[in-house]
Amino acid sequence: MTVGTLSKLFWGGLRVGWVRSSPQVVARLAKIKTSVDPSCSVMDQLVAVRLLDRLPEARARRRAELRTQRDTTEALLRSGAPHWEWTRPAGGAALWVRVPGADTETLAQLARRRGVSVVPGSAFSPVDGFRDRLRLPYAHGTETLEAALPTLLECAERAAAG
């Protein structure tokens, strides 16, 4: 099964997507969708049809933007938090950063009190794992992370201290 959407490439409010799969799976999904949400607007569908011709160009542009933002985020972390660890992702729009010695749930709570919102890795684990990881998105640029990093570093130290 392949699932796609136009919202990540063009505009988050354009809620048009598609599924490629066997006819049986598509029929089942279509039946479920119509029982919950009969259709998207005609205007959204018309816009989507026009944008489909630009899909390859939009993908190439978005990939280039994400690579640049990922590289900038990595450079920022290397200079500001050199003891934090991560593996460069093959795709996506976020780094999974290991914060050695810190419980990132505690870190996230401390940071939230200071106006910085981050998601601890445990929020993505079915077994309460990844407690030493933070998900740091870079899809919308790095200015926010640059401003928040001093707070995150301070909160990481406090979280590691207990």
Side-chain angles (χ1 to χ4, degrees):
M1 177 185 299
T2 304
V3 178
T5 179
L6 296 177
S7 65
K8 299 254 193 263
L9 289 174
F10 293 105
W11 175 57
L14 184 60
R15 309 302 290 175
V16 177
W18 58 90
V19 175
R20 290 186 189 147
S21 188
S22 69
Q24 298 85 2
V25 170
V26 171
R28 262 188 16 226
L29 291 172
K31 188 174 181 179
I32 293 168
K33 185 190 182 312
T34 56
S35 71
V36 178
D37 176 23
S39 71
C40 67
S41 76
V42 172
M43 180 63 77
D44 284 0
Q45 292 177 50
L46 291 171
V47 169
V49 167
R50 290 190 175 220
L51 291 175
L52 284 174
D53 289 338
R54 297 183 176 161
L55 204 55
E57 172 191 331
R59 280 185 180 140
R61 186 175 359 153
R62 187 64 177 145
R63 279 188 189 116
E65 288 172 2
L66 286 173
R67 280 187 193 112
T68 299
Q69 290 164 326
R70 179 204 59 209
D71 294 348
T72 303
T73 298
E74 287 181 322
L76 176 64
L77 290 174
R78 274 193 298 274
S79 67
H83 56 291
W84 290 8
E85 305 165 357
W86 64 93
T87 300
R88 176 177 273 194
L95 291 178
W96 283 95
V97 177
R98 182 174 170 273
V99 183
D103 178 342
T104 57
E105 282 190 19
T106 302
L107 186 162
Q109 289 173 4
L110 292 168
R112 197 170 307 120
R113 291 180 196 145
R114 299 200 41 212
V116 174
S117 294
V118 290
V119 181
S122 58
F124 297 92
S125 172
V127 294
D128 203 30
F130 309 119
R131 292 183 71 94
D132 63 346
R133 305 268 197 269
L134 283 178
R135 181 179 182 274
L136 297 179
Y138 51 80
H140 300 292
T142 57
E143 298 79 19
T144 301
L145 178 60
E146 188 170 8
L149 191 55
T151 300
L152 293 174
L153 287 165
E154 185 179 316
C155 292
E157 284 182 31
R158 289 182 57 199

PDB file of all heavy atoms in Angstrom, residues 100-126:
ATOM      1  N   PRO A 100      22.271  12.371  26.373  1.00  0.00           N
ATOM      2  CA  PRO A 100      22.858  11.446  27.350  1.00  0.00           C
ATOM      3  C   PRO A 100      22.603  11.865  28.794  1.00  0.00           C
ATOM      4  O   PRO A 100      22.761  13.022  29.162  1.00  0.00           O
ATOM      5  CB  PRO A 100      24.356  11.486  27.027  1.00  0.00           C
ATOM      6  CG  PRO A 100      24.434  11.963  25.622  1.00  0.00           C
ATOM      7  CD  PRO A 100      23.271  12.887  25.450  1.00  0.00           C
ATOM      8  N   GLY A 101      22.154  10.893  29.580  1.00  0.00           N
ATOM      9  CA  GLY A 101      21.969  11.108  31.015  1.00  0.00           C
ATOM     10  C   GLY A 101      20.693  11.799  31.418  1.00  0.00           C
ATOM     11  O   GLY A 101      20.409  11.929  32.610  1.00  0.00           O
ATOM     12  N   ALA A 102      19.902  12.260  30.473  1.00  0.00           N
ATOM     13  CA  ALA A 102      18.693  13.023  30.826  1.00  0.00           C
ATOM     14  C   ALA A 102      17.439  12.208  30.533  1.00  0.00           C
ATOM     15  O   ALA A 102      17.371  11.498  29.546  1.00  0.00           O
ATOM     16  CB  ALA A 102      18.644  14.325  30.043  1.00  0.00           C
ATOM     17  N   ASP A 103      16.468  12.335  31.404  1.00  0.00           N
ATOM     18  CA  ASP A 103      15.138  11.803  31.144  1.00  0.00           C
ATOM     19  C   ASP A 103      14.407  12.894  30.375  1.00  0.00           C
ATOM     20  O   ASP A 103      14.126  13.975  30.911  1.00  0.00           O
ATOM     21  CB  ASP A 103      14.420  11.494  32.452  1.00  0.00           C
ATOM     22  CG  ASP A 103      13.006  10.978  32.258  1.00  0.00           C
ATOM     23  OD1 ASP A 103      12.437  11.164  31.164  1.00  0.00           O
ATOM     24  OD2 ASP A 103      12.455  10.397  33.205  1.00  0.00           O
ATOM     25  N   THR A 104      14.107  12.643  29.105  1.00  0.00           N
ATOM     26  CA  THR A 104      13.554  13.709  28.277  1.00  0.00           C
ATOM     27  C   THR A 104      12.101  14.046  28.627  1.00  0.00           C
ATOM     28  O   THR A 104      11.633  15.119  28.247  1.00  0.00           O
ATOM     29  CB  THR A 104      13.671  13.375  26.781  1.00  0.00           C
ATOM     30  OG1 THR A 104      13.027  12.135  26.508  1.00  0.00           O
ATOM     31  CG2 THR A 104      15.144  13.321  26.364  1.00  0.00           C
ATOM     32  N   GLU A 105      11.415  13.178  29.354  1.00  0.00           N
ATOM     33  CA  GLU A 105      10.086  13.580  29.844  1.00  0.00           C
ATOM     34  C   GLU A 105      10.234  14.705  30.857  1.00  0.00           C
ATOM     35  O   GLU A 105       9.505  15.694  30.820  1.00  0.00           O
ATOM     36  CB  GLU A 105       9.355  12.391  30.460  1.00  0.00           C
ATOM     37  CG  GLU A 105       8.772  11.466  29.431  1.00  0.00           C
ATOM     38  CD  GLU A 105       7.850  10.425  30.033  1.00  0.00           C
ATOM     39  OE1 GLU A 105       7.369  10.597  31.174  1.00  0.00           O
ATOM     40  OE2 GLU A 105       7.599   9.435  29.338  1.00  0.00           O
ATOM     41  N   THR A 106      11.189  14.553  31.760  1.00  0.00           N
ATOM     42  CA  THR A 106      11.466  15.612  32.736  1.00  0.00           C
ATOM     43  C   THR A 106      11.956  16.860  32.022  1.00  0.00           C
ATOM     44  O   THR A 106      11.509  17.975  32.312  1.00  0.00           O
ATOM     45  CB  THR A 106      12.508  15.135  33.765  1.00  0.00           C
ATOM     46  OG1 THR A 106      12.012  13.957  34.400  1.00  0.00           O
ATOM     47  CG2 THR A 106      12.803  16.205  34.786  1.00  0.00           C
ATOM     48  N   LEU A 107      12.870  16.672  31.078  1.00  0.00           N
ATOM     49  CA  LEU A 107      13.395  17.794  30.296  1.00  0.00           C
ATOM     50  C   LEU A 107      12.247  18.544  29.630  1.00  0.00           C
ATOM     51  O   LEU A 107      12.175  19.776  29.691  1.00  0.00           O
ATOM     52  CB  LEU A 107      14.373  17.268  29.243  1.00  0.00           C
ATOM     53  CG  LEU A 107      15.151  18.257  28.392  1.00  0.00           C
ATOM     54  CD1 LEU A 107      16.337  17.559  27.757  1.00  0.00           C
ATOM     55  CD2 LEU A 107      14.338  18.923  27.328  1.00  0.00           C
ATOM     56  N   ALA A 108      11.317  17.820  29.003  1.00  0.00           N
ATOM     57  CA  ALA A 108      10.201  18.457  28.301  1.00  0.00           C
ATOM     58  C   ALA A 108       9.308  19.236  29.262  1.00  0.00           C
ATOM     59  O   ALA A 108       8.846  20.330  28.935  1.00  0.00           O
ATOM     60  CB  ALA A 108       9.391  17.406  27.539  1.00  0.00           C
ATOM     61  N   GLN A 109       9.073  18.686  30.455  1.00  0.00           N
ATOM     62  CA  GLN A 109       8.252  19.389  31.444  1.00  0.00           C
ATOM     63  C   GLN A 109       8.935  20.675  31.904  1.00  0.00           C
ATOM     64  O   GLN A 109       8.291  21.727  32.018  1.00  0.00           O
ATOM     65  CB  GLN A 109       7.963  18.484  32.635  1.00  0.00           C
ATOM     66  CG  GLN A 109       7.011  17.361  32.331  1.00  0.00           C
ATOM     67  CD  GLN A 109       6.876  16.396  33.498  1.00  0.00           C
ATOM     68  OE1 GLN A 109       7.439  16.599  34.570  1.00  0.00           O
ATOM     69  NE2 GLN A 109       6.126  15.329  33.285  1.00  0.00           N
ATOM     70  N   LEU A 110      10.220  20.584  32.178  1.00  0.00           N
ATOM     71  CA  LEU A 110      10.957  21.772  32.605  1.00  0.00           C
ATOM     72  C   LEU A 110      10.966  22.832  31.506  1.00  0.00           C
ATOM     73  O   LEU A 110      10.779  24.027  31.772  1.00  0.00           O
ATOM     74  CB  LEU A 110      12.392  21.391  32.979  1.00  0.00           C
ATOM     75  CG  LEU A 110      12.571  20.521  34.221  1.00  0.00           C
ATOM     76  CD1 LEU A 110      14.007  19.990  34.303  1.00  0.00           C
ATOM     77  CD2 LEU A 110      12.202  21.301  35.478  1.00  0.00           C
ATOM     78  N   ALA A 111      11.189  22.392  30.275  1.00  0.00           N
ATOM     79  CA  ALA A 111      11.238  23.330  29.153  1.00  0.00           C
ATOM     80  C   ALA A 111       9.874  23.981  28.928  1.00  0.00           C
ATOM     81  O   ALA A 111       9.789  25.191  28.657  1.00  0.00           O
ATOM     82  CB  ALA A 111      11.704  22.602  27.889  1.00  0.00           C
ATOM     83  N   ARG A 112       8.802  23.201  29.044  1.00  0.00           N
ATOM     84  CA  ARG A 112       7.449  23.729  28.836  1.00  0.00           C
ATOM     85  C   ARG A 112       7.161  24.867  29.824  1.00  0.00           C
ATOM     86  O   ARG A 112       6.542  25.861  29.476  1.00  0.00           O
ATOM     87  CB  ARG A 112       6.432  22.616  28.991  1.00  0.00           C
ATOM     88  CG  ARG A 112       5.068  22.946  28.409  1.00  0.00           C
ATOM     89  CD  ARG A 112       4.126  21.754  28.338  1.00  0.00           C
ATOM     90  NE  ARG A 112       4.744  20.637  27.650  1.00  0.00           N
ATOM     91  CZ  ARG A 112       4.958  19.434  28.209  1.00  0.00           C
ATOM     92  NH1 ARG A 112       4.575  19.184  29.442  1.00  0.00           N
ATOM     93  NH2 ARG A 112       5.540  18.460  27.534  1.00  0.00           N
ATOM     94  N   ARG A 113       7.640  24.710  31.059  1.00  0.00           N
ATOM     95  CA  ARG A 113       7.445  25.766  32.066  1.00  0.00           C
ATOM     96  C   ARG A 113       8.155  27.057  31.682  1.00  0.00           C
ATOM     97  O   ARG A 113       7.821  28.126  32.186  1.00  0.00           O
ATOM     98  CB  ARG A 113       7.949  25.294  33.428  1.00  0.00           C
ATOM     99  CG  ARG A 113       7.110  24.202  34.025  1.00  0.00           C
ATOM    100  CD  ARG A 113       7.641  23.760  35.373  1.00  0.00           C
ATOM    101  NE  ARG A 113       7.069  22.485  35.740  1.00  0.00           N
ATOM    102  CZ  ARG A 113       7.709  21.545  36.406  1.00  0.00           C
ATOM    103  NH1 ARG A 113       8.956  21.740  36.822  1.00  0.00           N
ATOM    104  NH2 ARG A 113       7.112  20.406  36.680  1.00  0.00           N
ATOM    105  N   ARG A 114       9.148  26.920  30.811  1.00  0.00           N
ATOM    106  CA  ARG A 114       9.907  28.103  30.369  1.00  0.00           C
ATOM    107  C   ARG A 114       9.512  28.539  28.964  1.00  0.00           C
ATOM    108  O   ARG A 114      10.215  29.324  28.331  1.00  0.00           O
ATOM    109  CB  ARG A 114      11.396  27.794  30.442  1.00  0.00           C
ATOM    110  CG  ARG A 114      11.764  27.466  31.896  1.00  0.00           C
ATOM    111  CD  ARG A 114      13.187  27.576  32.276  1.00  0.00           C
ATOM    112  NE  ARG A 114      13.884  28.703  31.743  1.00  0.00           N
ATOM    113  CZ  ARG A 114      15.181  28.659  31.448  1.00  0.00           C
ATOM    114  NH1 ARG A 114      15.886  27.564  31.663  1.00  0.00           N
ATOM    115  NH2 ARG A 114      15.781  29.713  30.952  1.00  0.00           N
ATOM    116  N   GLY A 115       8.403  27.977  28.465  1.00  0.00           N
ATOM    117  CA  GLY A 115       7.871  28.418  27.175  1.00  0.00           C
ATOM    118  C   GLY A 115       8.404  27.691  25.954  1.00  0.00           C
ATOM    119  O   GLY A 115       8.196  28.151  24.828  1.00  0.00           O
ATOM    120  N   VAL A 116       9.087  26.574  26.172  1.00  0.00           N
ATOM    121  CA  VAL A 116       9.633  25.808  25.049  1.00  0.00           C
ATOM    122  C   VAL A 116       8.960  24.437  25.031  1.00  0.00           C
ATOM    123  O   VAL A 116       9.016  23.703  26.012  1.00  0.00           O
ATOM    124  CB  VAL A 116      11.168  25.634  25.173  1.00  0.00           C
ATOM    125  CG1 VAL A 116      11.703  24.722  24.078  1.00  0.00           C
ATOM    126  CG2 VAL A 116      11.856  26.992  25.135  1.00  0.00           C
ATOM    127  N   SER A 117       8.337  24.105  23.909  1.00  0.00           N
ATOM    128  CA  SER A 117       7.655  22.814  23.787  1.00  0.00           C
ATOM    129  C   SER A 117       8.476  21.865  22.932  1.00  0.00           C
ATOM    130  O   SER A 117       8.842  22.205  21.803  1.00  0.00           O
ATOM    131  CB  SER A 117       6.281  22.989  23.142  1.00  0.00           C
ATOM    132  OG  SER A 117       5.437  23.722  23.989  1.00  0.00           O
ATOM    133  N   VAL A 118       8.774  20.702  23.495  1.00  0.00           N
ATOM    134  CA  VAL A 118       9.436  19.621  22.762  1.00  0.00           C
ATOM    135  C   VAL A 118       8.716  18.329  23.103  1.00  0.00           C
ATOM    136  O   VAL A 118       8.037  18.233  24.124  1.00  0.00           O
ATOM    137  CB  VAL A 118      10.942  19.491  23.097  1.00  0.00           C
ATOM    138  CG1 VAL A 118      11.737  20.657  22.560  1.00  0.00           C
ATOM    139  CG2 VAL A 118      11.162  19.326  24.583  1.00  0.00           C
ATOM    140  N   VAL A 119       8.897  17.344  22.242  1.00  0.00           N
ATOM    141  CA  VAL A 119       8.242  16.061  22.459  1.00  0.00           C
ATOM    142  C   VAL A 119       9.293  15.034  22.856  1.00  0.00           C
ATOM    143  O   VAL A 119      10.240  14.787  22.101  1.00  0.00           O
ATOM    144  CB  VAL A 119       7.501  15.595  21.188  1.00  0.00           C
ATOM    145  CG1 VAL A 119       6.801  14.266  21.421  1.00  0.00           C
ATOM    146  CG2 VAL A 119       6.494  16.649  20.750  1.00  0.00           C
ATOM    147  N   PRO A 120       9.137  14.438  24.041  1.00  0.00           N
ATOM    148  CA  PRO A 120      10.084  13.403  24.451  1.00  0.00           C
ATOM    149  C   PRO A 120       9.871  12.122  23.639  1.00  0.00           C
ATOM    150  O   PRO A 120       8.758  11.848  23.173  1.00  0.00           O
ATOM    151  CB  PRO A 120       9.751  13.177  25.922  1.00  0.00           C
ATOM    152  CG  PRO A 120       8.319  13.582  26.057  1.00  0.00           C
ATOM    153  CD  PRO A 120       8.108  14.672  25.046  1.00  0.00           C
ATOM    154  N   GLY A 121      10.923  11.354  23.487  1.00  0.00           N
ATOM    155  CA  GLY A 121      10.845  10.123  22.714  1.00  0.00           C
ATOM    156  C   GLY A 121       9.834   9.134  23.241  1.00  0.00           C
ATOM    157  O   GLY A 121       9.238   8.373  22.470  1.00  0.00           O
ATOM    158  N   SER A 122       9.607   9.146  24.541  1.00  0.00           N
ATOM    159  CA  SER A 122       8.665   8.193  25.131  1.00  0.00           C
ATOM    160  C   SER A 122       7.253   8.366  24.586  1.00  0.00           C
ATOM    161  O   SER A 122       6.463   7.420  24.592  1.00  0.00           O
ATOM    162  CB  SER A 122       8.663   8.333  26.653  1.00  0.00           C
ATOM    163  OG  SER A 122       8.316   9.647  27.022  1.00  0.00           O
ATOM    164  N   ALA A 123       6.920   9.554  24.096  1.00  0.00           N
ATOM    165  CA  ALA A 123       5.590   9.790  23.531  1.00  0.00           C
ATOM    166  C   ALA A 123       5.359   8.967  22.266  1.00  0.00           C
ATOM    167  O   ALA A 123       4.227   8.749  21.858  1.00  0.00           O
ATOM    168  CB  ALA A 123       5.400  11.269  23.221  1.00  0.00           C
ATOM    169  N   PHE A 124       6.440   8.499  21.654  1.00  0.00           N
ATOM    170  CA  PHE A 124       6.339   7.728  20.416  1.00  0.00           C
ATOM    171  C   PHE A 124       6.580   6.245  20.648  1.00  0.00           C
ATOM    172  O   PHE A 124       6.664   5.480  19.702  1.00  0.00           O
ATOM    173  CB  PHE A 124       7.341   8.259  19.390  1.00  0.00           C
ATOM    174  CG  PHE A 124       7.056   9.678  18.987  1.00  0.00           C
ATOM    175  CD1 PHE A 124       7.651  10.734  19.658  1.00  0.00           C
ATOM    176  CD2 PHE A 124       6.176   9.961  17.952  1.00  0.00           C
ATOM    177  CE1 PHE A 124       7.387  12.051  19.299  1.00  0.00           C
ATOM    178  CE2 PHE A 124       5.904  11.265  17.591  1.00  0.00           C
ATOM    179  CZ  PHE A 124       6.503  12.309  18.264  1.00  0.00           C
ATOM    180  N   SER A 125       6.724   5.841  21.886  1.00  0.00           N
ATOM    181  CA  SER A 125       7.042   4.453  22.207  1.00  0.00           C
ATOM    182  C   SER A 125       5.860   3.747  22.846  1.00  0.00           C
ATOM    183  O   SER A 125       5.292   4.253  23.810  1.00  0.00           O
ATOM    184  CB  SER A 125       8.242   4.405  23.164  1.00  0.00           C
ATOM    185  OG  SER A 125       8.452   3.089  23.617  1.00  0.00           O
ATOM    186  N   PRO A 126       5.521   2.564  22.346  1.00  0.00           N
ATOM    187  CA  PRO A 126       4.420   1.822  22.971  1.00  0.00           C
ATOM    188  C   PRO A 126       4.793   1.202  24.313  1.00  0.00           C
ATOM    189  O   PRO A 126       3.931   0.771  25.065  1.00  0.00           O
ATOM    190  CB  PRO A 126       4.099   0.735  21.940  1.00  0.00           C
ATOM    191  CG  PRO A 126       5.373   0.528  21.208  1.00  0.00           C
ATOM    192  CD  PRO A 126       6.047   1.873  21.180  1.00  0.00           C
TER     193      PRO A 126
END
